[in-house]
Amino acid sequence: FINRALALNLDMSWRHRLVKEVVGAEGEIFTNNAKNGETVTILDLATGTADVAILLGKAADKYTKSSSSTTLSSSSTVLGLDPSQNMLNVGIDKVEQANLSNIVSLKLGDARKLDSLDDNTINAATMSFGIRNVPEKEMALCEIHRVLKKNDDATTTIGSSKLAIMEFSEPGPDSGLLGSIARLFIRHVVPAMGAMLSGHPKEYMHLQKSIKEFPSPSEFVALMEGLKCPVKSADGVELEIDTFGSFRVKEVVNLNFGSVQIYVATPILKKYVTE
């Protein structure tokens, strides 16, 4: 409730946009895979109380039921992971209330260590307002890269999976009047309102500080595209010596006057350049 109030109740519209970026305007992630008889698995990291996981589950239910050629509701799954069991307990109740327990499952998990997931098994991954609080961002991104399905052809992203990360950032000095207002809101209104509503001022000072210290959109894109993630060979044991993993950021969606971004990316494989 507090975080929703601080976001002026806009956060759910942002989450809807995040889900649309992942599943497609007409649920293409489900319908396209249905044509190939493939299952769809979507991973929601830092799922919290499952707001995004539930939206993804509703999309899976809607578009798989509307498919006239096949029914995929039993083979389209959403897995939400979060390090907080208390948050997950709330989310589990919400999933049950939404009648989505057959599609959405919630478990304890850390984006930096996705040991329970095999390589190249996830069709799409989302993370909303979570990467900012991960100290080892590169480690988390490389783990996400590992589990996402990838095309073996390093020159194309066709057939690959998708990652969508939504996060706050402070609008830059070139963001105009509305961006300046949003920056003042983050720096001053968020910690003050958070302290007043929650009675825990330190937590919301941390929120403001973490947003201020998060990389700018261009810096975060550079971080994602500059990764050199280790890649396992076909035997699943040895590491490739001439190949590494990274992301290609296809789009950055700016929301709320530049204070919220959705980074839409595809996992890719690259070859080391040798002389």
Side-chain angles (χ1 to χ4, degrees):
F1 167 76
I2 295 171
N3 290 332
R4 187 138 300 155
L6 292 174
L8 304 180
N9 210 34
L10 294 172
D11 65 311
M12 284 309 295
S13 68
W14 304 337
R15 295 177 204 273
H16 277 281
R17 178 62 184 271
L18 175 73
V19 170
K20 183 179 178 181
E21 292 292 336
V22 170
V23 306
E26 300 298 328
E28 290 86 351
I29 193 172
F30 304 109
T31 56
N32 290 345
N33 281 282
K35 295 174 184 177
N36 300 324
E38 297 178 2
T39 61
V40 176
T41 303
I42 302 179
L43 175 65
D44 182 40
L45 294 160
T47 194
T49 59
D51 285 334
V52 170
I54 288 170
L55 291 177
L56 290 166
K58 288 180 177 178
D61 189 49
K62 172 183 177 181
Y63 290 112
T64 55
K65 281 183 177 179
S66 67
S67 172
S68 59
S69 60
T70 184
T71 301
L72 290 176
S73 58
S74 61
S75 58
S76 297
T77 60
V78 177
L79 172 61
L81 298 181
D82 197 273
S84 169
Q85 187 63 56
N86 289 337
M87 299 282 274
L88 290 174
N89 290 341
V90 176
I92 289 169
D93 288 341
K94 289 165 62 176
V95 169
E96 291 176 352
Q97 291 170 14
N99 294 317
L100 291 170
S101 297
N102 62 322
I103 298 175
V104 179
S105 59
L106 305 180
K107 298 180 181 179
L108 278 172
D110 188 325
R112 296 167 296 182
K113 195 173 178 61
L114 301 174
D115 291 351
S116 62
L117 301 176
D118 292 332
D119 297 1
N120 305 307
T121 55
I122 303 297
N123 295 86
T126 57
M127 193 175 196
S128 56
F129 308 120
I131 193 69
R132 187 182 73 252
N133 296 315
V134 178
E136 301 88 356
K137 294 175 178 55
E138 293 87 349
M139 182 187 299
L141 290 168
C142 281
E143 269 291 84
I144 297 169
H145 185 280
R146 177 182 66 79
V147 302
L148 285 172
K149 291 183 177 180
K150 292 169 283 291
N151 192 318
D152 291 334
D153 184 352
T155 64
T156 180
T157 59
I158 297 174
S160 289
S161 53
K162 188 181 291 187
L163 168 64
I165 293 178
M166 183 162 64
E167 193 51 85
F168 285 113
S169 71
E170 277 203 356
D174 57 347
S175 55
L177 176 60
L178 293 177
S180 298
I181 293 173
R183 188 164 60 250
L184 289 171
F185 181 82
I186 290 171
R187 289 185 178 182
H188 302 292
V189 178
V190 165
M193 284 183 61
M196 179 180 67
L197 293 172
S198 70
H200 301 286
K202 289 185 178 180
E203 292 183 12
Y204 287 89
M205 285 302 296
H206 167 73
L207 173 62
Q208 181 270 332
K209 185 173 183 287
S210 68
I211 295 173
K212 182 178 180 180
E213 293 178 351
F214 190 74
S216 68
S218 61
E219 290 171 339
F220 191 63
V221 168
L223 186 153
M224 294 182 72
E225 295 190 335
L227 291 169
K228 292 187 177 180
C229 303
V231 176
K232 290 181 181 178
S233 59
D235 62 14
V237 179
E238 299 294 330
L239 295 179
E240 294 278 4
I241 60 173
D242 63 344
T243 305
F244 63 92
S246 185
F247 286 97
R248 181 171 297 149
V249 179
K250 302 174 71 175
E251 184 181 13
V252 179
V253 180
N254 283 290
L255 304 170
N256 203 45
F257 314 120
S259 64
V260 175
Q261 283 76 36
I262 300 175
Y263 303 88
V264 183
T266 300
I268 59 173
L269 300 174
K270 291 182 177 181
K271 296 286 186 180
Y272 285 104
V273 178
T274 57
E275 295 296 335

